[in-house]
Amino acid sequence: MSDTTQEQSTPRPTWRVMLRSAATSSYLTSFLAIVVALLIGAILIGAADAQVQQTAAYLFAQPSDFFGAVGHAVGGAYSSLFQGAVVNVSTANNAADVIAPITKTIAYSVPLIFAGLALGIGFRAGMFNIGAQGQIILGAVLCGYVGFSWHLPIVIHVIVCLIGAFVGGALWGFIPGILKAKTGANEVIVTIMLNSIAVFLLGWLLTLQAFRKPTSNAPISPTMDPSAQFPHFFGTPIDLGFVLAILAAVGVWWLMERSTLGFRIRAVGENPDAARTAGMNVSMTYVWVMILSGGLAGLAATSQLLSSASQQLNANIASTFGFDAITVALLGRSKPVGTVLAGLLFGGLRAGGYLMQSVTGTPIDIILVVQSVIVLLIAAPPLVRALFRLPDPERRRRATSRAHARSTREEVTA
């Protein structure tokens, strides 16, 4: 058969096939989850606005006033959110002011990207590691101590601080990993306990002379040495941390898609019994997953200590990055590219939320509601498909399985 005949006999995908493929894509589900969350946020913004509440009293008499007030409240809030997260075109005096919001978004996204990558590795191994909060704290402890107590040359100091952050998080991740491998302990329970232990451990350390700032009564550490701080680019909030986060994403992609360890991680995540039957050491895979996950989470602390964010150990050094990273990893489908984009999205929500609150008076808690709704919808894809009447991607597979089982029964009966 000639090449031309083969090309003619090969069925080409039609527009219906491509449309179905797009409709069943997980990326579309994630996008629609964000859309629904923003719509719910718009309802809450309108409900919280005083002008909307006033015009609602005579809604049926003059509905145009009500809908105009809703449009003004929602449009103003989301416009401020955009200008605080992407570009400022209304009050900017120069080019630097125009791009200042996107630089803040990038800076805010760095710890979320690190922690999201950390949790994504665990999710793909079938492990629900929710201990990133504690792992960030332990990474901050080692990174901070090296940063303010050791006096090293500038490049070496930054490298040693990064190593300290990774080692601190890795050690805190090793504990639930080895417990699961040796005793079968549930990593969810263990990491929850370790989060609490890390918080109280940090509080105790900040009372010690070795960690406490001599001239302050507050529980904070000395400031990081200038030699341990990240360099900033072009006078913006973007520093070396963002470059390292992107490199970490590339490294995680290579690990998961091109390395032997990544293959074992994916195999264990898909079916640990089959992986064990194939000769893989499932227990040690769990340990390595938690070490790598903890180390990456520990690196999230560097954006607080080695940049202009804090530069001091304090009780709130981890903020809520460890818990927000769960949302980032879920929204990014535990893939490096998706995690980076999700980290930028949530960094933008955080950066723009402050401007939205200050300009329009909209409560910043609405941003937390938007994030929570995204988590809910990402965790329940059938709900999103039901809302938008999208086809079920597993429907054909289930139908094929039922048909195969039916034919098998008929053959056995015959």
Side-chain angles (χ1 to χ4, degrees):
M1 185 182 294
S2 65
D3 294 341
T4 304
T5 308
Q6 287 182 348
E7 289 183 5
Q8 292 176 350
S9 63
T10 302
R12 295 183 178 181
T14 63
W15 66 270
R16 289 188 178 182
V17 174
M18 292 187 290
L19 186 61
R20 179 178 177 81
S21 177
T24 56
S25 170
S26 61
Y27 295 103
L28 179 62
T29 305
S30 299
F31 173 76
L32 292 176
I34 296 171
V35 171
V36 172
L38 291 175
L39 289 175
I40 293 176
I43 294 173
L44 295 177
I45 291 171
D49 185 76
Q51 186 66 24
V52 173
Q53 295 172 3
Q54 182 179 352
T55 56
Y58 54 91
L59 169 62
F60 295 103
Q62 285 185 294
S64 60
D65 289 355
F66 172 77
F67 290 109
V70 170
H72 182 268
V74 175
Y78 280 161
S79 174
S80 299
L81 180 67
F82 178 82
Q83 293 190 61
V86 185
V87 291
N88 180 11
V89 294
S90 60
T91 61
N93 297 320
N94 50 54
D97 291 342
V98 172
I99 65 170
I102 190 65
T103 62
K104 292 181 181 179
T105 292
I106 291 173
Y108 284 141
S109 72
V110 172
L112 296 173
I113 293 173
F114 273 123
L117 291 171
L119 298 186
I121 293 177
F123 292 163
R124 295 189 71 179
M127 301 181 71
F128 198 70
N129 170 26
I130 56 173
Q133 193 75 3
Q135 292 151 16
I136 292 173
I137 291 174
L138 264 292
V141 168
L142 266 67
C143 175
Y145 184 77
V146 171
F148 66 72
S149 65
W150 294 11
H151 307 289
L152 302 171
I154 180 169
V155 176
I156 296 176
H157 207 170
V158 170
I159 294 174
V160 175
C161 286
L162 290 170
I163 294 173
F166 185 91
V167 170
L171 287 174
W172 216 241
F174 171 77
I175 297 173
I178 195 66
L179 288 176
K180 183 176 180 65
K182 297 300 182 182
T183 68
N186 189 297
E187 71 275 7
V188 175
I189 297 175
V190 176
T191 50
I192 289 175
M193 295 297 100
L194 287 174
N195 283 341
S196 299
I197 293 172
V199 171
F200 290 113
L201 176 62
L202 176 60
W204 173 70
L205 288 174
L206 290 175
T207 65
L208 302 180
Q209 185 177 0
F211 280 86
R212 191 164 182 172
K213 188 175 182 179
T215 59
S216 174
N217 293 325
I220 58 175
S221 74
T223 305
M224 302 295 108
D225 274 9
S227 60
Q229 296 174 16
F230 285 152
H232 288 256
F233 300 126
F234 310 110
T236 67
I238 304 174
D239 55 30
L240 182 62
F242 180 67
V243 177
L244 295 176
I246 299 301
L247 292 176
V250 174
V252 169
W253 172 84
W254 180 88
L255 171 71
M256 299 302 297
E257 306 297 336
R258 294 291 183 267
S259 70
T260 303
L261 177 59
F263 175 77
R264 291 205 304 268
I265 291 173
R266 290 186 283 116
V268 170
E270 290 291 335
N271 193 326
D273 294 329
R276 190 176 290 108
T277 302
M280 297 181 186
N281 191 333
V282 175
S283 298
M284 281 305 301
T285 301
Y286 287 145
V287 175
W288 278 113
V289 165
M290 290 306 299
I291 289 174
L292 292 171
S293 182
L296 284 171
L299 288 174
T302 61
S303 66
Q304 295 291 93
L305 290 171
L306 307 184
S307 69
S308 58
S310 174
Q311 298 184 357
Q312 290 177 307
L313 271 176
N314 57 71
N316 195 38
I317 191 65
S319 186
T320 59
F321 296 133
F323 302 114
D324 294 341
I326 299 174
T327 311
V328 171
L330 289 173
L331 183 59
R333 302 295 178 181
S334 301
K335 301 293 182 66
V337 174
T339 300
V340 170
L341 295 177
L344 289 170
L345 171 65
F346 281 86
L349 289 175
R350 183 179 179 186
Y354 294 125
L355 183 65
M356 182 181 74
Q357 184 181 36
S358 62
V359 172
T360 65
T362 304
I364 198 171
D365 292 338
I366 290 178
I367 297 298
L368 300 179
V369 173
V370 171
Q371 294 177 354
S372 301
V373 172
I374 291 175
V375 174
L376 172 65
L377 296 177
I378 290 296
L383 178 59
V384 178
R385 290 197 293 268
L387 288 173
F388 292 93
R389 298 183 178 275
L390 299 177
D392 185 355
E394 298 294 322
R395 182 177 179 180
R396 287 188 176 181
R397 185 187 63 80
R398 290 195 297 265
T400 303
S401 298
R402 287 195 296 268
H404 179 70
R406 191 183 307 111
S407 63
T408 301
R409 286 196 301 269
E410 291 175 354
E411 290 177 1
V412 172
T413 304

